[in-house]
Amino acid sequence: VDGPSHYLQDASSGAYVVNGPTKFKARLLRALGWTLATVAFFEWDGKALAERRRLLCDKLADIGFLPREPPAPPRVGGPDSDDSAPTPPPSPKVSQAKRAWEIIKPD
């Protein structure tokens, strides 16, 4: 969560604007290949736990780290399946998203 020190407040409108050092840090991280999900203090403060979890899930889904809904369980059995065939391991990105979803899933 980016706290108040990451923002300047416009004197006439009262709107918060990201300050220079924070913009620079984000630009450097993106140049190094990082994908950022930022949460501003004014989006975070005063929210209940469930609202905070939903906010995090939405931010992570916006950058493609989490699905909008929890991952579907692997399909086992059924008329077209071969139960003797081994199930391939999930890709690292899917496993990572599933673990993250389990941690922050909304109630």
Side-chain angles (χ1 to χ4, degrees), residues 21-98:
T22 301
K23 284 183 181 180
F24 182 63
K25 177 183 70 175
R27 191 169 48 240
L28 285 176
L29 289 171
R30 286 187 180 104
L32 292 170
W34 289 84
T35 303
L36 305 180
T38 58
V39 179
F41 74 97
F42 50 85
E43 295 177 300
W44 185 261
D45 288 353
K47 298 228 189 294
L49 180 61
E51 292 174 302
R52 287 179 174 184
R53 285 182 175 173
R54 174 52 47 203
L55 177 64
L56 286 177
C57 288
D58 289 344
K59 294 280 186 174
L60 293 173
D62 288 346
I63 63 169
F65 185 76
L66 278 184
R68 289 282 171 195
E69 296 299 322
R75 189 169 169 215
V76 178
D80 298 332
S81 71
D82 177 9
D83 288 334
S84 63
T87 304
S91 73
K93 188 169 184 175
V94 171
S95 296
Q96 198 174 26
K98 187 173 181 182

